[in-house]
Amino acid sequence: MQRALLSAGRLAWSRFARMSSTSAGRSLAEKVALVTASTEGIGLAIARRLAQDGAHVLVSSRKQANVDRAVAELQAENLSVSGLVCHVGKAEDRRRLMDVAVERYGGIDILVSNAAVNPFFGSMLDATEEVWDKILDINVKATALLANLVVPHMQKRGSGSIVIVASVAGYMPFPSLGPYNVSKTALLGLTRNLANELAPHNIRVNCLAPGLIRTKFSSPFWQDENTERRILETLRIKRIGVPSDCSGIVSFLCSADADYITGETVVVAGGAPARL
């Protein structure tokens, strides 16, 4: 009898341990997340972390080859990920992103707006109207319009979380990137305004402001050792960040642990000066 009880106890503990191990790190279990510009760099790291924490993730970018590569990479890690080509500057692509998410997963809980461009380097006074239009269209307007489209789907779920990826450039302008800096400052304001408007609908809106992160986008700042050393000294940081430094913060902001956080910007910059 004692031996049977001991065996039953071990079996129960084994089942509990298995359940605990499969539920650990599943703070976003069964949530549906859209992540724009998510086939490399910060966006890919965010998509990976959301999926690791239990979400079904729809990754997207402008090129089919990049989407296919990212989906294959993440699915090889046994993550629930699919992909879609989406140019956020095109209205039809934004609408298709929403439609496909609902068709595949039944709804939308999370939007991470990560897409950004910077086609200009130099004095802001030399930026043409075309430069301004492209930067503001992709970096700011597309984010606002994506929010417009996703909100009705989140309302159907009774809640939602939007995370906007800005930059410390919104607080501390980077040299020769004036229009880009301005667009990132605008995203800080967009976050606060959307948070206020969407609070009655139980939809939270927060912002991530990465500092210097080692991505293709930021490569001019660290492409050689001398440049990297000067940048580290200027920013008073010990190292350049990596994309995974950003992903856990986004997952937290999308989770129930952050239910009382909205309208905030989290700076991930290694201690670099980053305040207005």
Side-chain angles (χ1 to χ4, degrees):
M1 180 67 174
Q2 186 176 3
R3 187 174 299 173
L5 288 173
L6 182 60
S7 177
R10 286 174 176 168
L11 180 60
W13 173 253
S14 176
R15 288 175 177 170
F16 173 77
R18 286 198 301 270
M19 291 173 61
S20 297
S21 65
T22 56
S23 62
R26 308 290 285 182
S27 57
L28 302 177
E30 301 306 315
K31 298 292 185 181
V32 178
L34 309 182
V35 187
T36 64
S38 50
T39 58
E40 63 182 22
I42 293 173
L44 178 60
I46 290 171
R48 172 178 280 111
R49 180 57 183 266
L50 298 184
Q52 287 173 341
D53 288 348
H56 304 291
V57 181
L58 183 58
V59 303
S60 64
S61 74
R62 293 178 298 166
K63 297 181 179 180
Q64 185 68 58
N66 292 344
V67 171
D68 293 342
R69 175 188 48 76
V71 169
E73 179 180 334
L74 297 177
Q75 287 183 347
E77 300 171 18
N78 295 317
L79 300 175
S80 179
V81 174
S82 64
L84 180 71
V85 169
C86 178
H87 187 313
V88 298
K90 297 180 179 180
E92 61 271 23
D93 281 19
R94 294 192 297 266
R95 287 193 295 269
R96 186 168 65 249
L97 185 66
M98 304 296 156
D99 292 343
V100 169
V102 172
E103 178 184 333
R104 290 182 185 174
Y105 301 115
I108 304 170
D109 303 287
I110 294 165
L111 168 66
V112 181
S113 181
N114 178 58
V117 296
N118 179 52
F120 178 80
F121 188 85
S123 170
M124 191 163 63
L125 298 178
D126 294 328
T128 65
E129 184 173 356
E130 289 75 19
V131 164
W132 278 105
D133 285 346
K134 183 170 185 177
I135 289 176
L136 294 178
D137 277 355
I138 300 300
N139 297 8
V140 183
K141 187 173 78 173
T143 297
L145 295 177
L146 281 167
N148 291 353
L149 290 173
V150 80
V151 163
H153 298 291
M154 291 180 172
Q155 287 177 306
K156 290 178 182 178
R157 309 279 257 197
S159 64
S161 177
I162 298 173
V163 177
I164 296 171
V165 179
S167 168
V168 293
Y171 291 110
M172 179 189 67
F174 291 161
S176 302
L177 297 179
Y180 173 83
N181 298 334
V182 170
S183 74
K184 294 301 183 176
T185 304
L187 290 178
L188 306 180
L190 179 63
T191 297
R192 296 302 299 269
N193 280 272
L194 282 174
N196 289 342
E197 290 198 17
L198 298 179
H201 303 289
N202 200 29
I203 298 172
R204 298 181 298 103
V205 185
N206 290 292
C207 186
L208 176 76
L212 186 57
I213 305 296
R214 200 177 293 273
T215 65
K216 185 187 300 183
F217 189 84
S218 68
S219 60
F221 294 101
W222 51 265
Q223 58 191 355
D224 63 74
E225 290 184 7
N226 290 333
T227 300
E228 181 174 342
R229 185 174 62 254
R230 289 196 301 270
I231 287 293
L232 293 177
E233 291 172 355
T234 300
L235 296 179
R236 290 175 283 169
I237 57 178
K238 298 208 176 278
R239 66 172 176 89
I240 295 175
V242 294
S244 60
D245 289 323
C246 300
S247 58
I249 297 298
V250 174
S251 184
F252 163 72
L253 290 173
C254 295
S255 74
D257 288 335
D259 270 352
Y260 201 48
I261 301 176
T262 192
E264 297 296 336
T265 297
V266 179
V267 174
V268 181
R275 283 290 181 266
L276 286 174

